[in-house]
Each structure stands twice: as C-alpha cells, then as structure tokens.
Amino acid sequence: LAKTTQPISMDSYEGQEVNITCSHNNIATNDYITWYQQFPSQGPRFIIQGYKTKVTNEVASLFIPADRKSSTLSLPRVSLSDTAVYYCLVGETGRRALTFGSGTRLQVQP
Amino acid sequence: GAVVSQHPSRVICKSGTSVKIECRSLDFQATTMFWYRQFPKKSLMLMATSNEGSKATYEQGVEKDKFLINHASLTLSTLTVTSAHPEDSSFYICSARVQSEQYFGPGTRLTVT
C-alpha cells in the first residue's frame, strides 16, 4: 500500500482558498487518490477521488501532476464549518480496505 | 451517496461485560464491511474485514476472540467487544463497500468504566 505524507495541521481564515498537499511517492499504477473529511466524533465523509490531472466537484478540486507522486486538495473559500481533519488515501479501489494516514487538521478562523 | 448507520451511537458499559455494535447499510447491499477503531486525536485503524457469510479477516494485533464480528446478511454486520476493559474505550467506525467506494457509518463511542 502506498504510504502518504501530509502536513499535520494548517490554519486559515474564512473566505480563503486552502490547498492541502499529500505526497505518495510509491503510488502504484492501479491506485486512485481519495480524500475524506472527518469532524470530531463522526465517521469520515468522502470528498473527492481522482486518478490523474484535475477533478472538480461541488465542494473541492483535486490536482494530480503527471507523475502522480503527489496530489493537492483545494477547498475554495473555506468557512468555519470546514474545520476538520482531512485524510489523503491512496489505493486500488474496490480491492483492499482504505488505510488512513495521520491526516491534516485544518483550523479555520473567523 | 450510500448511507451506513450504526447503533448505538454511544454506549457505556462496565468492565468485564460485553457490548454489541450494529452496522447497517440502509439503501444498498454490502458484501464487504470493515471495522475501524479510532482513539482521541488519532487516525482510524483498520481492525477487520467482514465478508457476508464467511469469517472475518483480522488485522495483525487485533484479537479475534475479543472482537467478535458477524456478517450474517448483506445489510448487517455486528461487532461484539467481549469482556470489555477500560483500554477498549474508543470510537468504533464501520464502513461498507459498494463497487469501488467505501462509505462510513457515524461511529459508536464506547466507554468502559
């Protein structure tokens, strides 16, 4: 399983764009990159998933360079409610269980 | 997306007793469910993989006789913590896989006194 490295924590202010980068140097050919959000005492919630280039949905964008050794989750105009832990996961979807790294604790200030 | 529920959301039990946690997939059938444990300020740790109609596969270091998993139907998996001890106090989260995506339940907070 590809190991991921993320910043332990990040701080931002309301209305700013937040970019969280994840390193996954040993990503395999069949691996996808998935990001989850977790609030305290809740289960993780799926945010976005991608394989290469750029993926965008209603809540975030995911940028993946050509070598796929890293990825960046972009949250546009964050609000206080975006304060959470964000996990980057890499794996072959549908095969093994998702394995969580340490995640990035995002704190959004007013 | 698919909905996964857990019951109870929180439970307090006395040391030495057993407690059962249920995980249900509400609007889909899941042949595979997963159980995770999460300690405060820590990440989720996979405990076991539960396949409908067969024995669960436990991760290294997880005692199968202590954490009994039953996946009797395509919509229900249960985790029973037997002879609970205070160190078993944690947040237990189940997850169900449908096609290539995993959906997570809201978690169950277990406190052993």
Side-chain angles (χ1 to χ4, degrees):
Chain A
L1 297 173
K3 177 180 168 59
T4 60
T5 302
Q6 304 175 233
I8 295 175
S9 64
M10 294 182 70
D11 293 306
S12 184
Y13 292 93
E14 283 190 291
Q16 289 189 333
E17 177 184 80
V18 171
N19 296 306
I20 305 174
T21 298
C22 178
S23 297
H24 28 80
N25 292 316
N26 59 338
I27 187 170
T29 303
N30 294 331
D31 287 344
Y32 279 73
I33 301 157
T34 311
W35 286 79
Y36 280 82
Q37 175 192 55
Q38 187 183 28
F39 297 112
S41 296
Q42 294 187 27
R45 184 175 74 99
F46 173 89
I47 300 175
I48 197 166
Q49 183 182 79
Y51 184 80
K52 62 180 180 181
T53 63
K54 176 183 175 181
V55 180
T56 297
N57 61 23
E58 62 275 11
V59 297
S61 294
L62 179 59
F63 299 92
I64 306 169
D67 66 4
R68 303 201 327 123
K69 293 184 182 300
S70 67
S71 60
T72 299
L73 174 71
S74 181
L75 304 172
R77 298 180 298 281
V78 295
S79 63
L80 295 176
S81 62
D82 292 316
T83 294
V85 178
Y86 292 83
Y87 293 97
C88 162
L89 295 92
V90 174
E92 192 171 347
T93 59
R95 294 293 295 270
R96 284 181 55 85
L98 293 175
T99 303
F100 287 77
S102 57
T104 297
R105 193 171 298 272
L106 173 65
Q107 180 69 51
V108 180
Q109 311 270 10
Chain B
V3 178
V4 177
S5 71
Q6 283 184 240
H7 178 80
S9 58
R10 58 178 62 237
V11 58
I12 300 173
C13 71
K14 292 186 176 181
S15 187
T17 62
S18 296
V19 61
K20 180 186 288 187
I21 303 170
E22 293 186 348
C23 175
R24 294 182 185 273
S25 55
L26 296 185
D27 49 1
F28 65 99
Q29 293 182 329
T31 55
T32 303
M33 290 185 173
F34 308 98
W35 287 95
Y36 293 81
R37 181 167 55 180
Q38 186 176 33
F39 293 106
K41 305 289 187 183
K42 300 294 185 181
S43 185
L44 285 77
M45 291 177 51
L46 179 66
M47 298 176 67
T49 299
S50 167
N51 292 300
E52 186 268 336
S54 64
K55 291 183 178 180
T57 303
Y58 291 81
E59 295 298 303
Q60 191 173 7
V62 178
E63 299 175 58
K64 63 179 182 181
D65 294 329
K66 180 171 184 59
F67 299 99
L68 302 179
I69 293 173
N70 184 280
H71 193 163
S73 78
L74 290 172
T75 59
L76 172 65
S77 176
T78 60
L79 167 67
T80 301
V81 182
T82 63
S83 187
H85 290 282
E87 55 264 33
D88 297 324
S89 297
S90 188
F91 192 52
Y92 292 86
I93 305 170
C94 74
S95 175
R97 182 167 66 203
V98 54
Q99 296 183 346
S100 63
E101 293 190 24
Q102 265 186 245
Y103 296 91
F104 289 83
T108 296
R109 173 78 57 194
L110 170 63
T111 302
V112 184
T113 61

